[in-house]
Amino acid sequence: MPTYSPIWTESFEVRTFETDAGGHVSFLALCNYFQEAAGKHAHSYGVAVDQLLPEGKTWVLARLHICIDAYPDWTDVVTVETWPSGVQGLFAIREFQFHSGGAVIGYGTSAWLVIDLNRRRPVRVEQLLSHVAPPDRPRTIEDAFPRLPVPERVDHARSFHVRYSDLDLNQHVNNVRFAEWAFESVPDEVLHGAVLREIELQYRAEATFGDLVMVEAQCTNGADAPRFRHRLVRDADGRDLAVARTRWSPRAGAAE
């Protein structure tokens, strides 16, 4: 039986190509740090993607909820702590925190499915994770992952063709790319004048090479604290690929 640490810790130095236009670590880079640490942790107890693929199974991220209080700068070190927190139905739940400069700068929770690649259906994860004992540590966000609402109207929209570089090991659009496209659907004044503080993201279907993805956004709050609902739709059949909610705050300059 594989041995593992109940809590995985990994550090990343912020590199220039992981910063945004303001010189701070991008939200997408933080997502990638978390997934890298989560993948290493899963590998340590024998259930990472590369270990499941020979059995015809793979992990897919179903839900993601992240809150960010501060964005470190180039060359700063971001440390990720991540740990499993149990099973809810078909979902394996995983928590995480971001640390930098001796403080917690962000935190989140996530829900993952194991998919049988032949049947294209989720399988129960209890047996797969029977040797994994969650640590005695509370969830970072008490999220029951209810179904997210779609926009009731379209205030802003963009479209993207899936490129080969958007694909992951499962040959589907990388889940971080969906988050990136959701951000691109908000108006320029928000992207330049506000900072993303929270995102809830629900994945509903796969997108593959060549798909045209339509991204819609509805503003649900005022300009002083903008909030948006987002919907990503495959143009060919109108199927929802992902639904999200985002919360932003005015950009103050320092430590953003």
Side-chain angles (χ1 to χ4, degrees):
M1 190 67 66
T3 60
Y4 66 95
S5 171
I7 300 173
W8 187 269
T9 302
E10 188 158 352
S11 295
F12 304 86
E13 182 177 331
V14 179
R15 295 167 292 186
T16 53
F17 55 85
E18 296 170 329
T19 59
D20 60 17
H24 312 294
V25 66
S26 72
F27 181 86
L28 303 175
L30 292 175
C31 289
N32 283 325
Y33 294 165
F34 158 59
Q35 293 195 82
E36 178 71 10
K40 294 280 188 63
H41 199 192
H43 196 277
S44 74
Y45 49 75
V47 293
V49 169
D50 64 316
Q51 294 162 318
L52 293 185
L53 284 175
E55 302 175 13
K57 300 183 180 70
T58 193
W59 287 102
V60 295
L61 181 59
R63 289 294 300 268
L64 185 65
H65 188 172
I66 304 180
C67 297
I68 301 295
D69 296 325
Y71 290 85
D73 297 330
W74 172 50
T75 74
D76 286 345
V77 174
V78 176
T79 298
V80 181
E81 284 188 321
T82 181
W83 63 96
S85 59
V87 174
Q88 294 181 4
L90 293 171
F91 297 108
I93 310 301
R94 175 173 284 276
E95 316 299 323
F96 53 98
Q97 286 184 340
F98 300 110
H99 300 254
S100 187
V104 175
I105 62 161
Y107 50 91
T109 186
S110 58
W112 300 75
L113 292 168
V114 173
I115 300 295
D116 183 309
L117 293 172
N118 293 321
R119 297 188 300 121
R120 312 302 302 174
R121 301 286 296 173
V123 299
R124 302 199 71 86
V125 296
E126 288 92 341
Q127 184 174 358
L128 184 70
L129 301 177
S130 61
H131 61 293
V132 178
D136 183 16
R137 188 166 180 173
R139 295 190 64 186
T140 57
I141 303 174
E142 286 295 339
D143 191 338
F145 298 122
R147 191 171 180 85
L148 295 179
V150 299
E152 297 174 351
R153 66 176 186 271
V154 179
D155 296 330
H156 311 278
R158 295 283 301 273
S159 62
F160 301 89
H161 273 103
V162 176
R163 306 163 301 177
Y164 184 79
S165 59
D166 296 324
L167 304 182
D168 61 16
L169 189 60
N170 296 322
Q171 299 300 303
H172 303 132
V173 172
N174 182 289
N175 53 67
V176 174
R177 194 70 69 204
F178 278 157
E180 178 183 11
W181 293 345
F183 304 156
E184 293 285 348
S185 67
V186 305
D188 291 348
E189 58 267 26
V190 173
L191 292 176
H192 291 290
V195 179
L196 180 71
R197 293 303 184 194
E198 182 175 11
I199 182 171
E200 300 170 76
L201 186 59
Q202 179 183 50
Y203 299 94
R204 295 187 176 176
E206 304 160 343
T208 58
F209 179 61
D211 284 345
L212 176 61
V213 178
M214 314 299 293
V215 186
E216 304 167 350
Q218 173 195 2
C219 185
T220 61
N221 206 39
D224 56 333
R227 295 173 183 259
F228 293 88
R229 293 179 181 178
H230 308 264
R231 179 173 178 245
L232 290 83
V233 184
R234 183 164 48 225
D235 182 66
D237 58 8
R239 184 166 185 187
D240 287 358
L241 301 174
V243 177
R245 287 192 294 210
T246 58
R247 176 175 61 87
W248 307 70
S249 67
R251 188 180 297 276
E256 297 292 359

